Amino acid sequence: MEKLLVTRDGPVTTITFNQPARKNAVDLEMTMALKAAVLEAASDDSKVVVLTGAGVDFCAGADLKSGIDPGNNVTEYLRAYTNPTIVALREMPKPVIAKVRGVAVGIGCNYALAADIRIASRTAKFGQIFTRIGLMPDGGSTYFLPRMIGYARAFEWMATADIVDAPRALELGIVNRVVEDEALDAAVAEFAARLAAG
């Protein structure tokens, strides 16, 4: 089974994390595939990119059971693989929509934050859980979050590793829209079509 799926529907390219049994946690293979997919989407003739997860979750962060070990020179891993992927998302010359259902935690949350628009299902949950495993938040969150929600709230969220539900994420300004779970696919498709037509 491919760990990352890339599909095209007219002007919309969809990139899907595809390890639903592991809540779409990313390993090195997925991270490298994601960067390649983002770079390819940046240069193709699509007009909008949607980033999402297969099954019931967006992305549960790094797959620590796959050999991504915080004690195994995590700084070099971030510099070589994670950060260039975040940069590629931010440098995308077309809109990126994160379609978030289920969990978006750790680097999964930060992939969503790197998008231009975040549309979440009502049951989605967001988390900066790095302190739970003794890490400094990575993947751009220390840049994105203070600009989105202010320094004090960003620091509190990252320091406490609390989980934020979708309604609270909307209230804070982390997501643009919250829709019922069954309406998420249609809401994102409609918004992507609107952007593509613009």
Side-chain angles (χ1 to χ4, degrees):
M1 178 174 76
E2 290 184 64
K3 293 181 179 180
L4 191 83
L5 303 176
V6 181
T7 56
R8 180 81 179 271
D9 183 8
V12 180
T13 294
T14 300
I15 301 172
T16 305
F17 300 113
N18 191 38
Q19 279 208 112
R22 299 208 43 76
K23 296 182 181 254
N24 297 314
V26 294
D27 57 17
L28 175 58
E29 180 185 347
M30 287 176 76
T31 302
M32 293 175 68
L34 175 60
K35 180 184 173 189
V38 169
L39 292 174
E40 183 174 338
S43 61
D44 68 19
D45 62 351
S46 66
K47 295 186 176 181
V48 179
V49 175
V50 174
L51 184 63
T52 192
V56 297
D57 292 296
F58 182 76
C59 176
D63 188 347
L64 299 180
K65 293 184 178 178
S66 71
I68 300 175
D69 180 358
N72 188 18
N73 205 343
V74 70
T75 301
E76 287 306 313
Y77 182 90
L78 293 170
R79 286 180 181 158
Y81 304 108
T82 303
N83 293 346
T85 305
I86 295 290
V87 170
L89 278 166
R90 290 306 306 145
E91 292 180 344
M92 174 73 69
K94 55 193 77 171
V96 178
I97 303 170
K99 178 170 71 172
V100 182
R101 61 169 45 93
V103 299
V105 298
I107 190 60
C109 181
N110 296 338
Y111 287 141
L113 294 179
D116 300 296
I117 298 286
R118 284 157 296 285
I119 301 176
S121 68
R122 188 163 300 281
T123 57
K125 298 187 184 309
F126 299 83
Q128 294 288 310
I129 59 172
F130 299 94
T131 59
R132 293 185 188 180
I133 56 173
L135 291 178
M136 173 74 182
D138 61 49
S141 59
T142 57
Y143 177 85
F144 299 132
L145 281 173
R147 287 160 175 79
M148 289 179 176
I149 65 175
Y151 174 82
R153 284 178 169 162
F155 183 88
E156 179 183 1
W157 191 26
M158 289 187 274
T160 62
D162 285 343
I163 300 298
V164 174
D165 65 19
R168 178 64 174 152
L170 181 64
E171 181 182 313
L172 289 170
I174 296 166
V175 299
N176 299 78
R177 296 182 183 184
V178 173
V179 299
E180 298 303 326
D181 291 28
E182 62 274 12
L184 182 62
D185 291 340
V188 171
E190 179 182 353
F191 197 78
R194 180 179 176 185
L195 291 178

